[in-house]
Amino acid sequence: VTLTGLYNRNIEKPSFFLGGAAVRAGQDNSMRHGVGLQQYLFTGGMYAHGTKAARLGVEGGISQVKAAKEDTALAVKRFFYAVCLASETVAIQEDFLSLAEDHLKTIEERYRQGLDSDLTVLRQKVEVAGAKPSLLNARNAQEIALTLLKDILGLDVDAPVRLVGALAGPTVALVPYETLQQAALERNPSYQAARKQFEQAQATLSVQKGFRWPWLSAYADYQWYSESNDSWPGPKERATSSVLGLRLSYPLFSGGQISAKVRQAASQLDSARTGMDKAARGIRVEVKRQWLMVKE
């Protein structure tokens, strides 16, 4: 439904020629208002498929947002436990270095008493020296994991953060691999988004094919128009008109544009199918990798 309005002020009135003489016509003010309605009755399924494509696009976007949220939550958990693991590794390396230094003192004392050789002392010094970079690497790994955690949380990388928790997770029952694989394909939001994109591409292809069909539409139009030298027309200066009809149009020749768009949509469908298959393969690989890690 379209509402239109038009107002003209004739600075110079239009003329027409009669018997070789110019005759002025019209009034100073002219107005035309109208209400038009057009309803498509048949478009080769284009509107239905277009609506479906739009709906699938929204659903795919929702799945992408869900995937982003779940990826963020997973990253937070992963970095949290990485910091916990690094902290435990630092404690282990500190204990190892402390034990190696204590053992070195014992060996040096035994060497002074003539109970151990200088080779044994040298070997223990090498072990102590080797433990120090391992402790430094463990501390660096802890700091990097903490920095990544602060980054995913949107905090300043130098902000002081203290984690409350320990390196302990729930006991996981090892579900059969085939069951996990099927569940992942049904629930994974990234795969669902890829599947929605594939279905959207299918609907888009149907939309482009709809341009090959004739279009049938019904239309109605009502107009109110007037001309007057006054600011507002009088009863005899106003008139109305109305029309009702059917319109049939067929794209007889478009210079190959429709066929090109159909081929483009078909190519996008193939690309979406490849993306969906790739997402499914990636999920299966990841499920198997994680399943083997849990089993290990």
Side-chain angles (χ1 to χ4, degrees):
V1 178
T2 305
L3 178 65
T4 59
L6 176 66
Y7 167 77
N8 285 327
R9 172 69 178 181
N10 290 320
I11 306 301
E12 291 187 16
K13 296 179 182 179
S15 302
F16 66 94
F17 291 92
L18 181 62
V23 180
R24 295 284 182 178
Q27 305 294 329
D28 293 339
N29 301 300
S30 65
M31 292 180 286
R32 182 180 294 271
H33 310 287
V35 177
L37 180 145
Q38 180 170 326
Q39 174 63 50
Y40 285 100
L41 303 177
F42 177 77
T43 59
M46 192 187 74
Y47 273 84
H49 291 295
T51 303
K52 181 180 178 180
R55 175 177 55 81
L56 291 171
V58 173
E59 293 176 357
I62 293 174
S63 297
Q64 290 176 344
V65 172
K66 183 180 179 181
K69 289 182 177 179
E70 294 188 357
D71 288 344
T72 302
L74 177 61
V76 171
K77 290 184 179 182
R78 181 173 292 166
F79 288 133
F80 175 85
Y81 283 115
V83 174
C84 293
L85 176 61
S87 301
E88 296 291 341
T89 304
V90 168
I92 292 172
Q93 292 297 332
E94 288 175 344
D95 291 342
F96 181 77
L97 177 59
S98 178
L99 290 174
E101 291 174 340
D102 291 343
H103 190 48
L104 176 60
K105 293 177 182 179
T106 301
I107 291 178
E108 288 177 338
E109 182 62 27
R110 289 171 60 83
Y111 173 72
R112 284 191 292 270
Q113 296 176 5
L115 300 176
D116 275 325
S117 65
D118 56 350
L119 180 61
T120 304
V121 175
L122 182 60
R123 183 183 298 113
Q124 188 60 28
K125 286 183 178 181
V126 171
E127 186 172 348
V128 171
K132 291 180 179 179
S134 297
L135 176 59
L136 179 60
N137 289 336
R139 288 173 176 170
N140 288 342
Q142 180 186 15
E143 185 64 26
I144 291 174
L146 185 60
T147 300
L148 293 174
L149 177 61
K150 288 187 284 187
D151 179 60
I152 199 68
L153 292 175
L155 301 176
D156 186 85
V157 294
D158 294 323
V161 173
R162 182 176 64 89
L163 297 188
V164 179
L167 188 62
T171 302
V172 179
L174 196 59
V175 182
Y177 164 68
E178 292 76 10
T179 304
L180 289 176
Q181 185 184 77
Q182 184 61 32
L185 292 176
E186 293 175 356
R187 301 175 185 175
N188 186 276
S190 297
Y191 174 72
Q192 295 302 320
R195 187 171 63 84
K196 293 295 182 182
Q197 290 178 351
F198 170 71
E199 294 175 356
Q200 184 184 26
Q202 285 181 315
T204 302
L205 177 59
S206 299
V207 169
Q208 297 300 331
K209 289 181 177 179
F211 284 101
R212 294 175 172 175
W213 291 85
W215 289 15
L216 178 64
S217 63
Y219 66 91
D221 186 76
Y222 177 84
Q223 290 195 6
W224 177 88
Y225 48 93
S226 65
E227 287 189 2
S228 175
N229 290 323
D230 299 327
S231 58
W232 188 256
K236 295 183 178 181
E237 297 173 318
R238 299 194 297 261
T240 60
S241 67
S242 59
V243 64
L244 180 69
L246 293 174
R247 179 180 292 112
L248 178 68
S249 61
Y250 181 75
L252 184 63
F253 177 74
S254 62
Q257 184 183 34
I258 296 177
S259 299
K261 288 185 175 181
V262 170
R263 290 195 301 270
Q264 182 183 18
S267 177
Q268 292 174 346
L269 176 62
D270 292 338
S271 177
R273 181 186 292 108
T274 302
M276 182 180 64
D277 294 341
K278 182 179 179 181
R281 289 196 304 271
I283 290 172
R284 288 196 292 267
V285 170
E286 186 65 16
V287 167
K288 189 168 187 177
R289 187 174 72 90
Q290 296 292 345
W291 184 81
L292 291 173
M293 290 177 63
V294 172
K295 185 177 180 181
E296 179 184 354

